[in-house]
Amino acid sequence: MPGSIALAGAVLGALLALAAPTLTPRHEAGYCAFYGECGRNPEVNISLVPSNVPCLSNTPARVATGALLALLRTVCPELVQENTTTHVCCSLAQLGALQLSVALSGTVLSRCPACARNFANLYCNNICSPNQSLFTNVTRVVNHTTALGKPQLAVVEYQCFYQQDFADASFTSCRGVRLPATGGYAIDTMCGRYGARLCTTQRWLDFQGDKNNGLAPLQIDFQLVPNGTQPGDAIVPLAGQAWRCNQALSPQEQPCSCQDCAESCPPVTAPPGPPPPFRLGNADGALVLCGLLFGLLALIFIVALLCQRRRSKKDTTPQPAPARATGCSARLGDASHRILARAFRRWGTLVAGHPVVVLVVVVVVAGGLSAGLVMLRLTTDPVELWSAPGSRARQEKAFYDQHFGPFLRTNQVIVTAPGRPSSGYESVVFGAKNFSGVLSEEVLQALLELQEQLAAATAWAPVSGREVTLSDVCYAPLNPTDPGLADCCVNSVTQYFQNNGTRLAATATQTEGKETGTVDWRDHLIYCVNSPLSFKDITTLELSCMAEYGGPVFPYIAFGGYPGSEYTEAEALIITYSLNNFPRDDPRHEWVLSWERRFLEVVGDFQRTHSSNLSVTFMSERSLEDEINRTTGEDIPIFATSYLVVFAYIALALGEYTAWRRVLVESKVTLALGGIAVVLGAVFASMGFLALVGLPSSLIILEVVPFLVLAVGADNIFIFVQEYQQSQREPGETREQHIGRVLSQVAPSMLLCSLSEVICFLLGALSSMPAVRTFALTAALAIAFDFLLQMSGFVALLALDARRQEAARFDLCCCCGMGKGGPTGPGARLLRPLLHRYYTPLLLHRLARPVVVLLFLFLACAGLYLMLQVPVGLDQELAMPKDSYMLQYFAALNRYLAVGVPTYFVTTGGYNFSSPAGTNGICSSAGCAADSLTNTIQYATRFPNVSYLAIPATSWVDDFLDWLNPTGRCCRIHRFGNLTGEFCPSTSNDPTCLGGQCLNVTRRPTVEEFERFLPWFLHDRPTLQCAKGGLGAYDTAVSMDANGTILASRFMAYQRPLHTSQEYTAALRAARALAEEITATLRQVPGTHPDFRVFPYTVTYVYYEQYLTVVAEGVITLALCLVPTFVVSFLLLGMDLRSSAATLLTIAMILVDTVGAMALWSVPYNAVALINLVAAVGISVEFVSHITCAFAHSTKPSRVERAAEATVNMGSKVVAGVAMTNLPGIVVLAFAKAQLIQIFFFRLNLIITLVGLAHGLIFLPVLLSYVGPRPRMPAGDTAGHTGGDTAAGAEQGAGLALSNPCFEDKEKEKDKATVPGQG
């Protein structure tokens, strides 16, 4: 090892001897290598600061006195010798230039005192050290003549020798320092092409010494000498003790903060991630539990069945079980049933006797209520639909908009070049680099042309009557009051060339070492992606990296699909236009919509023009709403066709045909159309009434409510009409009395269903979601109106139709008819005989019933498991039609975007930022609290998989403190003259500003200073002299009243890329948890109001907040909907607990199986699904309650026979009225373009209908055959009937008597023989 060190020293010494042995001949303590200034460097063409170079002077160091010594104490205090004479190798002019340079770096580095001091010490030693010649070797000079004609040698290049560990320590102290305005690292701006990720000590120093960086006045060749190595020729490397970043420079100062110095960080425990999936061993825990549940239920059922069979075998001569005694509750139920039947009978007779009058009244009332539709307001804003006005997200959005204005509007273009090969590039400056196919000059020129077209684009705003340009609506952070096109914030790769085609095409010759070559746009791009904050690259192109509007273009915003940090290998280029957002009632809202419409047209033309070689995807802020509205309009014919198919079915299915010659007489087209008109009248009346009271509607109500009410209404129509067709008129009974009697038979069941559904939906209206609440109210009113209109208008229509048919008049043309003569027999039927002869005997066979029960128990347990697999949320892609250009954009966004949306942490009023404790509770620089707001957010970004944050928060407080730092020239005050006491910008060289720093020493401002200087900071434009100016970055981040009190402020972080609604929801949950932690900490700061809080805000939260509670809210809403189903059934069925429980259980199983099927058919659960599930409860009532009611009032001797009777009599009507009414219309929806309709209206409604039909027609009869109540003892009968499932009763004979006692008039019929059903 010693040998290798010696060898390295010998080689270094030899190289030194070859370099320039005569320019610094004397390397000795107390001697300089150069001194004074010799004018500007002739080799530097463009410099952002004066490029004065020193004069060659290998002479003794000078004594520092007077102004030089005073300034030295300020700039380089380590060089001042307090107890002896201080010598230096710099003049006052050199020290002044050094002060400017240190001030520039101090603006960025001062937040970490150790780094700022170490960096300043390097240059203090380079320029002013009395031992300068020991570690400095001048290698190149040029001739310079003074103003007096005296010839001098100007130093334009020198070597500087540092000991490796000293340089490394200085670099290490600075590598973690943050830039609060960007969330990045300060070293990004100080390491040139390498950026923070690839920066090393050597590369860091090389950039400082590069004369092409726009800041260095001459070339410095830094030589890092390994520890223990001597370069030779009397050179002694500069060494010393560099401050570590976790060290305080003095007892009065603080070490660097955790955010800038990893060594200062306390141990941070990783936050708990999401809980692992529930498992039992290696198996899915939920699956195991559901399997065990099924096994337990199956075991209980089988044991109960075997016990029943054993009892049946022991009793070889079974006696009929006594009928259920008529107890008090049963008598009460029977009495209520008789009262309802009598009331409906009288009402039906009355209406049938005066049909025209009733119809006129119905039309007037329904028409009057429907007239309210002229005041109907359709809500299309998703925020108004799915987020309650009083919800936390809405309140936070309102607070944010009030203090900071609406969130910016984004218009974006993503360009890729599929199939275009990548290419290698050998840069003379940066070496070999690979460029993707999309990063070619041809593509960049095309993008530049697109942006020029957009800049020149104008759009006509018809309401305002004016042309709108980009500058009228764009976000211009650095010139918000009077922006021009050049001030508009546009982020794109061509902004590295300031959107200038000449600069993009520029080339230059550059020599790097011994190699000479040509540099072009690729070299500039390589430099800028690694140093986006640079005002000048290091190539001979000497171009700025800053965008045309004056801000930086961060590569993770302009590029997509790149590996690691290799931006030149990006697969996508992203152009982002940020536009101002305005409230909908602001005239400028029309301006921005008009320009966005023009944006879409221009980019669409660009896409078509370049479709052969480029893939272009794009969107504007208005695109989502535009596409939803477009597809809604295009799918109106689909909905119209769906309704027409349903109408046609009802019209054809209502008729009962006895002969071909009587088809025109026996058809029910007019009656069916009247029934449909009744349903639509109920829908329109309910919507009109709600419009009159000021409740807005929505498209989803227009799409769901008619289907729901049509299902309910059609079921009632079929039940009523078919019962009338099957009923025989009694001797001496008029037509009107006949209609009244039939109504008394069917109306109680219809009332049971309608009342259950109305109460169900009224309880569903308790939901906090506006769309769900409005839907539930509309559905409740529509079903209530439907029942009332059917009991009046439809009864009148039936009476008129019966009169027409009896007169043998043609349907649709009652003026014509045929000769007298009634039907020759019952009409042709298909469904009821099928149920009677084949279906019911098979279903209720003693071997089939246990299989059915076990099968549905299995389906229920499987549904429970699958419920847990249903994804919660609604990905925005599903809101788009399949042919939407937005789908291509979303695919590109998810694939290429490297950073997520900005997330603001907003503080409310009640916090004292101006107090030292208040400032320290927010900031993240030296002296700030370890658990401050910005430090806490920074800790969270270390765990992006849990916090969903990728980039720490920008902090106006930190940059304000840096802006106040007296070592810089950001905050200065005019000391005398007309502007005394006023703010002096950093660009001003007015003598009245000299020595006018706002603070004399580095400290926290007082309350008065804070309130005085903060407005200056917020409106100070960032410049090279002061990069910490707050205009653009922070001028809208602080909301103050007229007295300067801070009412609100915001701190912007960035989320990691999020792709699914589940990730967006998890990000919201994590951000709120983080904000609550910060709130609890800041409330402990003295002077903080108890109501102060911090909350997270981003534009997506208001949409995704619903998914935090939609599961619990859905369970509560559906549970509330089930309660009235049970209660109403219990009361109207004579307090029949078993029938009511069977109804409740079956509907609950329908819901469970429906949600489980959603998982199998990729239907996510969200508010739209919840609306359909609430509707499913109403439809399920139709499938279940009619059959249960028929079973409960049947007087057949056994449960099996009663179940068979109910299935045949009511099952046929339910199938015809509900299932067959829904299915044709639902199937048509499969052809809709909108994915929302296909998924939530076709798939989900098909699931609901099929699952409801299966449970109502298969499971429910079998369930009732096992656990249904025994038949009631007829009035006056004390002997009773067979009530249990005896061995004889369990066997179904071929000739079951299938009348429908549920609909018998007990008052009139109890002494008459039951009319057999007409199969």
Side-chain angles (χ1 to χ4, degrees):
M1 185 67 183
S4 62
I5 294 177
L7 177 61
V11 171
L12 192 58
L15 292 175
L16 177 60
L18 292 173
T22 58
L23 296 179
T24 310
R26 191 163 187 172
H27 299 285
E28 183 179 335
Y31 275 75
C32 304
F34 43 75
Y35 181 83
E37 291 189 342
C38 276
R40 294 178 61 86
N41 188 341
E43 297 179 353
V44 176
N45 299 321
I46 298 177
S47 180
L48 304 174
V49 295
S51 57
N52 294 329
V53 295
C55 303
L56 183 67
S57 179
N58 195 201
T59 57
R62 280 69 167 174
V63 175
T65 58
L68 176 62
L69 182 61
L71 187 58
L72 189 69
R73 291 183 187 276
T74 301
V75 181
C76 305
E78 280 81 2
L79 296 181
V80 176
Q81 304 294 323
E82 295 295 345
N83 299 322
T84 183
T85 304
T86 299
H87 292 78
V88 293
C89 286
C90 58
S91 64
L92 183 61
Q94 283 181 286
L95 189 58
L98 175 61
Q99 183 185 34
L100 174 61
S101 179
V102 170
L104 288 176
S105 63
T107 305
V108 177
L109 303 177
S110 60
R111 56 183 284 109
C112 177
C115 166
R117 189 68 264 155
N118 288 335
F119 189 80
N121 282 344
L122 292 178
Y123 284 94
C124 283
N125 280 288
N126 285 359
I127 305 301
C128 293
S129 172
N131 303 319
Q132 186 186 70
S133 65
L134 278 178
F135 52 87
T136 302
N137 187 56
V138 177
T139 56
R140 199 156 56 85
V141 296
V142 296
N143 292 322
H144 171 73
T145 303
T146 66
L148 300 177
K150 180 180 178 181
Q152 289 181 318
L153 293 177
V155 178
V156 294
E157 185 175 352
Y158 67 90
Q159 293 175 317
C160 192
F161 294 84
Y162 288 167
Q163 190 168 298
Q164 182 77 51
D165 58 353
F166 171 68
D168 287 344
S170 299
F171 170 71
T172 301
S173 69
C174 292
R175 70 181 308 164
V177 178
R178 292 276 186 174
L179 284 176
T182 68
Y185 293 94
I187 211 75
D188 272 322
T189 67
M190 306 174 71
C191 211
R193 56 185 167 177
Y194 298 106
R197 189 175 66 90
L198 300 176
C199 197
T200 63
T201 304
Q202 185 68 64
R203 291 169 176 173
W204 179 55
L205 293 174
D206 286 347
F207 179 78
Q208 311 308 315
D210 190 339
K211 66 181 180 183
N212 296 315
N213 65 13
L215 296 171
L218 74 168
Q219 189 71 28
I220 306 174
D221 180 14
F222 287 97
Q223 299 286 336
L224 301 186
V225 181
N227 301 337
T229 301
Q230 295 299 323
D233 199 24
I235 291 180
V236 179
L238 180 64
Q241 185 66 39
W243 297 95
R244 296 195 307 275
C245 61
N246 60 345
Q247 284 184 304
L249 303 185
S250 68
Q252 292 75 34
E253 297 182 78
Q254 299 291 331
C256 304
S257 69
C258 171
Q259 193 169 86
D260 301 312
C261 173
E263 290 84 351
S264 295
C265 292
V268 179
T269 304
F278 171 57
R279 305 193 71 82
L280 292 174
N282 294 325
D284 187 325
L287 181 60
V288 172
L289 292 181
C290 289
L292 292 176
L293 177 62
F294 169 69
L296 178 62
L297 294 176
L299 180 63
I300 293 174
F301 170 72
I302 293 172
V303 169
L305 191 62
L306 292 176
C307 290
Q308 183 190 31
R309 292 288 171 86
R310 180 174 295 181
R311 286 197 304 270
S312 299
K313 288 181 180 180
K314 286 183 179 179
D315 191 358
T316 56
T317 57
Q319 298 296 322
R324 184 166 43 137
T326 307
C328 180
S329 62
R331 289 196 300 273
L332 181 61
D334 289 340
S336 64
H337 182 78
R338 287 193 299 271
I339 293 171
L340 285 175
R342 188 182 299 114
F344 280 119
R345 181 169 189 162
R346 291 175 179 175
W347 171 256
T349 303
L350 177 65
V351 171
H354 306 84
V356 177
V357 175
V358 171
L359 284 176
V360 170
V361 173
V362 165
V363 170
V364 170
V365 173
L369 291 175
S370 300
L373 290 173
V374 299
M375 302 178 62
L376 181 68
R377 290 185 297 113
L378 279 182
T379 302
T380 58
D381 186 354
V383 175
E384 299 292 337
L385 281 175
W386 306 117
S387 183
S391 69
R392 176 176 171 182
R394 286 287 294 277
Q395 292 177 342
E396 291 170 351
K397 180 182 185 298
F399 183 90
Y400 182 94
D401 291 349
Q402 175 188 353
H403 292 284
F404 309 111
F407 214 83
L408 293 176
R409 302 176 70 91
T410 298
N411 294 257
Q412 200 163 67
V413 183
I414 302 177
V415 179
T416 59
R420 184 187 288 262
S422 60
S423 60
Y425 176 62
E426 194 67 37
S427 170
V428 67
V429 180
F430 305 106
K433 279 287 183 180
N434 188 48
F435 277 71
S436 64
V438 75
L439 269 175
S440 66
E441 186 173 1
E442 176 189 354
V443 175
L444 295 185
Q445 288 288 1
L447 296 186
L448 190 57
E449 292 173 7
L450 171 62
Q451 291 172 84
E452 290 171 351
Q453 293 176 25
L454 290 171
T458 60
W460 177 253
V463 177
S464 302
R466 56 160 291 174
E467 292 285 345
V468 179
T469 65
L470 176 60
S471 59
D472 292 324
V473 295
C474 73
Y475 170 59
L478 297 179
N479 188 14
T481 56
D482 186 25
L485 286 174
D487 298 313
C488 293
C489 178
V490 181
N491 283 291
S492 72
V493 62
T494 55
Q495 282 283 30
Y496 289 125
F497 306 90
Q498 297 74 51
N499 278 351
N500 186 301
T502 303
R503 295 176 184 174
L504 179 60
T507 60
T509 301
Q510 179 154 343
T511 300
E512 192 77 10
K514 295 182 179 180
E515 185 179 356
T516 299
T518 301
V519 293
D520 59 14
W521 64 271
R522 289 170 290 193
D523 299 270
H524 179 67
L525 185 65
I526 295 170
Y527 178 84
C528 289
V529 296
N530 288 293
S531 188
L533 297 171
S534 295
F535 287 89
K536 179 175 175 288
D537 67 19
I538 62 173
T539 72
T540 50
L541 294 171
E542 298 181 332
L543 298 176
S544 172
C545 294
M546 303 296 280
E548 184 180 21
Y549 71 91
V553 178
F554 295 107
Y556 52 78
I557 294 177
F559 296 90
Y562 47 84
S565 296
E566 296 296 333
Y567 300 109
T568 60
E569 298 180 23
E571 297 179 33
L573 303 180
I574 304 172
I575 305 174
T576 305
Y577 283 77
S578 297
L579 307 183
N580 289 316
N581 208 348
F582 307 100
R584 289 180 179 263
D585 57 353
D586 190 317
R588 292 172 296 176
H589 183 69
E590 184 207 10
W591 299 3
V592 71
L593 289 179
S594 300
W595 193 88
E596 286 180 346
R597 183 178 61 251
R598 182 61 182 149
F599 168 87
L600 294 174
E601 293 171 356
V602 172
V603 180
D605 291 340
F606 177 82
Q607 181 192 51
R608 289 184 287 273
T609 302
H610 296 273
S611 59
S612 60
N613 60 339
L614 295 177
S615 173
V616 180
T617 62
F618 56 94
M619 63 80 69
S620 74
E621 192 73 22
R622 64 176 292 162
S623 293
L624 277 172
E625 192 167 339
D626 282 354
E627 287 297 278
I628 293 174
N629 292 338
R630 175 181 71 85
T631 189
T632 300
E634 292 178 351
D635 283 331
I636 286 178
I638 298 293
F639 273 96
T641 304
S642 175
Y643 283 120
L644 287 176
V645 170
V646 173
F647 296 166
Y649 164 75
I650 296 175
L652 294 175
L654 271 184
E656 184 181 49
Y657 308 102
T658 61
W660 282 105
R661 63 186 182 86
R662 293 185 57 83
V663 167
L664 294 180
V665 173
E666 294 174 341
S667 71
K668 302 290 184 184
V669 175
T670 303
L671 182 62
L673 292 177
I676 292 167
V678 166
V679 172
L680 294 181
V683 174
F684 293 152
S686 63
M687 295 178 64
F689 176 78
L690 292 176
L692 287 174
V693 299
L695 191 68
S697 187
S698 64
L699 290 174
I700 196 168
I701 291 175
L702 298 181
E703 293 163 347
V704 179
V705 170
F707 262 109
L708 172 65
V709 181
L710 194 59
V712 175
D715 188 30
N716 292 341
I717 289 172
F718 273 91
I719 291 174
F720 188 20
V721 173
Q722 290 187 0
E723 187 66 23
Y724 179 76
Q725 291 169 341
Q726 296 167 14
S727 173
Q728 298 294 318
R729 188 176 300 176
E730 298 175 351
E733 189 177 43
T734 66
R735 180 177 56 251
E736 291 76 14
Q737 291 172 335
H738 184 197
I739 292 174
R741 178 168 56 83
V742 172
L743 184 65
S744 71
Q745 294 169 358
V746 299
S749 176
M750 294 163 60
L751 175 64
L752 185 153
C753 293
S754 297
L755 187 59
S756 298
E757 290 157 357
V758 168
I759 299 175
C760 161
F761 288 122
L762 288 177
L763 291 175
L766 298 175
S767 171
S768 64
M769 294 183 189
V772 177
R773 182 171 61 251
T774 306
F775 161 77
L777 284 174
T778 306
L781 276 180
I783 291 175
F785 286 155
D786 179 61
F787 177 77
L788 295 176
L789 292 180
Q790 284 182 332
M791 292 298 103
S792 53
F794 188 74
V795 172
L797 287 172
L798 180 65
L800 292 175
D801 186 74
R803 183 184 304 176
R804 174 198 62 80
Q805 187 170 350
E806 288 180 6
R809 295 289 182 177
F810 291 158
D811 191 19
L812 294 176
C813 185
C814 59
C815 298
C816 304
M818 59 184 294
K820 294 282 185 177
T824 58
R829 300 188 184 100
L830 175 65
L831 188 57
R832 195 168 187 272
L834 183 67
L835 293 177
H836 178 112
R837 297 178 183 136
Y838 304 105
Y839 177 77
T840 305
L842 176 63
L843 175 67
L844 297 178
H845 192 275
R846 64 185 183 86
L847 297 180
R849 290 192 298 150
V851 175
V852 169
V853 172
L854 292 176
L855 174 62
F856 277 81
L857 284 177
F858 173 78
L859 291 176
C861 293
L864 282 174
Y865 171 73
L866 291 173
M867 283 177 61
L868 305 176
Q869 316 307 316
V870 176
V872 177
L874 177 62
D875 293 337
Q876 51 193 348
E877 291 90 338
L878 295 181
M880 298 293 101
K882 288 185 176 180
D883 62 347
S884 174
Y885 65 89
M886 288 293 291
L887 293 180
Q888 298 175 355
Y889 169 78
F890 287 138
L893 189 73
N894 291 335
R895 179 175 180 182
Y896 298 120
L897 198 67
V899 69
V901 296
T903 297
Y904 293 95
F905 287 85
V906 181
T907 65
T908 63
Y911 186 81
N912 188 4
F913 287 87
S914 59
S915 69
T919 302
N920 291 337
I922 300 294
C923 63
S924 60
S925 55
C928 300
D931 56 358
S932 68
L933 181 146
T934 45
N935 273 332
T936 302
I937 297 173
Q938 193 267 338
Y939 295 151
T941 60
R942 297 185 185 182
F943 310 98
N945 290 333
V946 177
S947 69
Y948 294 88
L949 297 176
I951 299 177
T954 60
S955 171
W956 62 266
V957 175
D958 285 273
D959 277 336
F960 177 49
L961 296 178
D962 294 343
W963 184 80
L964 289 172
N965 195 297
T967 61
R969 52 185 286 144
C970 291
C971 187
R972 299 185 300 165
I973 305 172
H974 289 281
R975 299 180 64 189
F976 53 88
N978 295 332
L979 298 176
T980 301
E982 297 294 323
F983 174 64
C984 178
S986 59
T987 53
S988 174
N989 292 318
D990 193 324
T992 63
C993 302
L994 293 176
Q997 270 69 22
C998 296
L999 301 181
N1000 294 326
V1001 295
T1002 302
R1003 58 174 174 82
R1004 294 287 187 262
T1006 63
V1007 173
E1008 293 75 16
E1009 291 169 338
F1010 190 101
E1011 295 176 351
R1012 179 187 180 190
F1013 299 144
L1014 180 59
W1016 293 359
F1017 162 73
L1018 295 176
H1019 295 92
D1020 185 24
R1021 185 185 180 102
T1023 62
L1024 180 67
Q1025 291 78 15
C1026 177
K1028 293 289 185 175
L1031 182 65
Y1034 301 122
D1035 58 307
T1036 59
V1038 183
S1039 174
M1040 295 184 291
D1041 62 13
N1043 298 323
T1045 302
I1046 296 178
L1047 304 176
S1049 70
R1050 65 183 184 186
F1051 302 83
M1052 183 179 71
Y1054 275 94
Q1055 293 177 345
R1056 66 176 178 84
L1058 306 176
H1059 302 129
T1060 65
S1061 56
Q1062 290 78 28
E1063 289 185 339
Y1064 279 104
T1065 306
L1068 168 60
R1069 186 182 293 108
R1072 283 186 171 176
L1074 183 63
E1076 289 169 2
E1077 177 186 347
I1078 295 171
T1079 299
T1081 301
L1082 295 186
R1083 283 180 177 175
Q1084 298 175 8
V1085 175
T1088 303
H1089 194 277
D1091 294 333
F1092 165 80
R1093 71 187 186 96
V1094 178
F1095 66 85
Y1097 176 77
T1098 193
V1099 67
T1100 60
Y1101 285 172
V1102 73
Y1103 304 108
Y1104 290 102
E1105 183 192 40
Q1106 58 180 301
Y1107 302 127
L1108 295 176
T1109 58
V1110 71
V1111 174
E1113 183 158 344
V1115 171
I1116 294 172
T1117 301
L1118 294 176
L1120 288 176
C1121 285
L1122 291 175
V1123 170
T1125 304
F1126 175 79
V1127 173
V1128 173
S1129 298
F1130 182 69
L1131 294 177
L1132 293 187
L1133 293 179
M1135 300 185 183
D1136 185 346
L1137 183 60
R1138 288 193 176 192
S1139 297
S1140 304
T1143 299
L1144 180 65
L1145 175 64
T1146 306
I1147 295 176
M1149 290 177 65
I1150 291 174
L1151 289 177
V1152 169
D1153 287 352
T1154 297
V1155 178
M1158 288 168 58
L1160 296 177
W1161 209 354
S1162 301
V1163 180
Y1165 173 75
N1166 48 50
V1168 182
L1170 176 58
I1171 286 177
N1172 281 277
L1173 291 174
V1174 173
V1177 176
I1179 295 175
S1180 299
V1181 169
E1182 295 294 322
F1183 279 120
V1184 174
S1185 293
H1186 290 300
I1187 295 177
T1188 306
C1189 178
F1191 179 92
H1193 289 89
S1194 173
T1195 57
K1196 292 297 176 185
S1198 71
R1199 292 190 181 107
V1200 173
E1201 290 176 294
R1202 293 162 64 211
E1205 180 185 50
T1207 303
V1208 172
N1209 281 341
M1210 293 307 299
S1212 59
K1213 298 179 179 66
V1214 167
V1215 171
V1218 183
M1220 296 308 298
T1221 301
N1222 277 4
L1223 287 175
I1226 291 172
V1227 171
V1228 174
L1229 296 181
F1231 301 97
K1233 289 185 177 180
Q1235 295 186 88
L1236 273 180
I1237 294 176
Q1238 290 184 0
I1239 293 173
F1240 296 104
F1241 297 97
F1242 166 63
R1243 293 185 191 177
L1244 188 50
N1245 278 299
L1246 185 59
I1247 291 172
I1248 291 169
T1249 303
L1250 294 179
V1251 171
L1253 181 63
H1255 282 76
L1257 213 60
I1258 301 175
F1259 175 71
L1260 180 61
V1262 174
L1263 177 66
L1264 292 173
S1265 73
Y1266 280 119
V1267 300
R1270 295 190 299 271
R1272 291 177 185 171
M1273 182 181 298
D1277 188 352
T1278 57
H1281 297 282
T1282 305
D1285 279 327
T1286 63
E1291 300 293 336
Q1292 309 97 312
L1296 291 175
L1298 298 176
S1299 59
N1300 189 3
C1302 177
F1303 299 137
E1304 291 179 2
D1305 187 340
K1306 302 299 182 181
E1307 296 293 317
K1308 296 270 299 180
E1309 304 295 331
K1310 62 181 180 179
D1311 297 325
K1312 295 183 180 181
T1314 303
V1315 178
Q1318 299 180 21

